[in-house]
Amino acid sequence: MVKESPEYVRISQAAAMVLGFKNGLFYRNAKSPCINILLTYTTGCAGNCAYCGLSMKRPGTYSEKSFIRVEWGIYALEEVIVRIGEKIDDVKRVCISMITNRKSVKDTKIITSVIRKALTVPISILAAPTILGPKDFDEFKKSGADHLGIAVDACTPELFDRLRGRGVHGPHQWEQYWQSLYRAVEVFGKGNVGVHLIVGLGETEKQMVEVIQHAHNKGIETHLFSFFPESDSALAHYKPPHIGTYRRIQLARYLINNNYATINDLMFDEKERIVRYNIPDNILNPIIDTGKPFMTSGCPGNDGEVACNRPYSDSLPGENIRNFPFLPDADDLIKIKYEISLFD
C-alpha cells in the first residue's frame, strides 16, 4: 500500500513521542509543544540541497530518509489529528512542512483545512517557494494557517546558489525565495512570517547579521539554526559553527528582532566577527540574564511564547546545547556568557 499525502504524513520523532506513537524521554523534560508534520510522496523532494537529509541524491528511498538527523515516521493524518485532540493541552501549534514536489501545493491546503476544521490549535506552514505562485499564499491563509515560514537557510546569494541552486544542480533561486517572503508578509502581516537561517554554511558573522536586519526591516522574523551535519549529505564533512560565533549571532538576532539595536550599533573586527554591541551594560546585561536570546526562535503559541522549540534539532542532548528548548538556568547562563566571549 502506498502511503502518501494528503491521507498520510510524516511527523518528527519529538512529535511522535508527544502524541504517544513512540516511547522515549526528553532530556531535561524539553517536550515539543509543536507537532511538526512533513508531507510525503514516493517520488520525494526535487531539491538537492547540499546539507539536507531529504536531498534527491542522498542514498535511500524518500520514506527512509532522516530529516534534521532524526526519523520521521509515516502515520495516517486522521490518526494524527485524533492524537493531537487527545493531547490538546500539550500542543500549542502544528507546523506543516511542504517539500519541493508539485503535489504538495494542493495537499498542503487540504491538510491545513482538515486540521483547522477538527482543531482550534494554531497552524503554521513551512512553504516551498520554488513550486508556489502568488495566489497560493492567500489560499494558505484561507485554509486556516496564521503563520508562514520559508527556509532560505544560506544568508548570501552566492552561498544559496552554491548549496541549493546551480552548484548542486538544484531548482531553487535566491530571488524567488525572498520575493515569496515579501508576498507572505503582504498576506499574513508583519511578524507572522519567518525566515529560517542556518549559521555555519560559510558566511561571516556580519553577513548573517546583515540578512537578519534586512528581514526585520521587511517585517520578517528570523528563526535561527546552527548547522549540524547530516550523514551522507554533501556537507557531511562540515563542522558546526564555532560556539562563540553562534552565541554572538543569537544575541544579535534577539536584539534586532526586539528593536533593542540595529546592525549599525554593532562593531565588527577585520574578520567580520562581532566584538561589541554598543548597548549600555545596564540594558544589555539584563537581556542576556533572561536567557531568552539563546532559546529556540520559532512561531509562537496563543500565549505569545515560542511553540516550535525543536528540541535538540541542531545539537545532541547534553552540555553543548545550541538552541535551548527551555529557559536556560543559572548554570547554563554562566556557560553562555563565557561562550559569547570565545573566538576561533
Side-chain angles (χ1 to χ4, degrees):
M1 178 182 177
V2 177
K3 295 182 177 181
E4 292 190 331
S5 298
E7 290 82 10
Y8 290 86
V9 294
R10 298 175 73 177
I11 63 173
S12 69
Q13 184 172 335
M17 289 166 61
V18 169
L19 297 181
F21 287 112
K22 285 185 173 293
N23 295 322
L25 298 173
F26 288 91
Y27 176 69
R28 292 175 66 172
N29 201 35
K31 293 181 180 179
S32 175
C34 181
I35 302 303
N36 295 103
I37 289 175
L38 181 68
L39 274 68
T40 185
Y41 305 97
T42 55
T43 50
C45 180
N48 197 32
C49 304
Y51 47 85
C52 184
L54 302 179
S55 171
M56 180 173 54
K57 292 187 178 179
R58 188 176 181 227
T61 64
Y62 176 74
S63 62
E64 296 172 337
K65 292 179 181 180
S66 61
F67 182 45
I68 322 178
R69 302 172 307 97
V70 297
E71 175 188 342
W72 289 64
I74 299 177
Y75 301 93
L77 175 62
E78 183 177 340
E79 179 62 20
V80 171
I81 291 173
V82 169
R83 295 288 185 104
I84 293 173
E86 292 172 349
K87 299 280 188 177
I88 199 65
D89 291 341
D90 298 323
V91 177
K92 294 184 178 181
R93 179 168 286 277
V94 172
C95 182
I96 303 166
S97 295
M98 301 178 66
I99 62 172
T100 307
N101 186 307
R102 292 287 177 185
K103 296 179 182 178
S104 72
V105 180
K106 178 181 178 181
D107 291 343
T108 297
K109 297 168 190 175
I110 293 172
I111 292 170
T112 305
S113 296
V114 170
I115 295 174
R116 170 53 58 243
K117 290 176 182 177
L119 304 166
T120 58
V121 65
I123 302 171
S124 298
I125 292 174
L126 185 60
T130 301
I131 53 176
L132 296 178
K135 292 183 180 179
D136 288 317
F137 296 94
D138 299 277
E139 292 174 7
F140 287 151
K141 187 174 183 180
K142 289 178 183 177
S143 67
D146 69 331
H147 278 65
L148 185 136
I150 291 176
V152 175
D153 297 341
C155 76
T156 71
E158 295 78 17
L159 284 172
F160 186 98
D161 194 44
R162 177 156 61 88
L163 300 175
R164 308 198 68 187
R166 289 176 296 179
V168 289
H169 305 290
H172 306 314
Q173 297 179 8
W174 169 269
E175 188 63 27
Q176 184 176 18
Y177 267 62
W178 281 96
Q179 289 300 321
S180 292
L181 280 163
Y182 305 150
R183 174 61 183 154
V185 172
E186 291 176 358
V187 174
F188 288 86
K190 293 183 176 181
N192 296 323
V193 176
V195 58
H196 289 195
L197 296 170
I198 299 176
V199 177
L201 294 178
E203 76 291 331
T204 67
E205 292 180 29
K206 185 177 182 181
Q207 287 174 324
M208 183 58 72
V209 176
E210 284 173 340
V211 79
I212 290 170
Q213 183 68 64
H214 173 74
H216 180 69
N217 292 347
K218 296 293 187 178
I220 302 165
E221 299 293 307
T222 299
H223 302 160
L224 206 62
F225 294 74
S226 177
F227 172 76
F228 200 17
E230 188 96 48
S231 64
D232 297 323
S233 69
L235 297 190
H237 62 290
Y238 268 43
K239 293 181 179 180
H242 188 271
I243 189 60
T245 289
Y246 195 63
R247 293 288 181 239
R248 287 187 291 276
I249 293 174
Q250 280 182 306
L251 181 54
R253 181 210 67 83
Y254 187 87
L255 295 174
I256 290 170
N257 277 190
N258 290 280
N259 297 310
Y260 289 109
T262 71
I263 190 172
N264 295 326
D265 296 307
L266 276 57
M267 291 183 63
F268 301 87
D269 65 12
E270 69 282 355
K271 294 183 179 180
E272 298 195 343
R273 301 176 301 187
I274 302 167
V275 292
R276 189 173 178 180
Y277 293 92
N278 282 334
I279 296 175
D281 287 345
N282 65 333
I283 296 176
L284 182 61
N285 290 337
I287 291 172
I288 294 173
D289 286 339
T290 67
K292 290 184 177 181
F294 314 101
M295 295 176 67
T296 306
S297 47
C299 294
N302 285 328
D303 59 1
E305 298 297 321
V306 171
C308 189
N309 65 349
R310 302 184 297 275
Y312 316 116
S313 63
D314 54 7
S315 60
L316 295 174
E319 296 182 0
N320 299 312
I321 298 173
R322 296 282 172 138
N323 286 329
F324 283 81
F326 46 75
L327 199 64
D329 64 20
D331 290 337
D332 295 324
L333 285 170
I334 291 172
K335 190 170 185 289
I336 287 169
K337 291 175 183 179
Y338 171 67
E339 290 169 342
I340 292 172
S341 68
L342 296 177
F343 291 86
D344 56 1

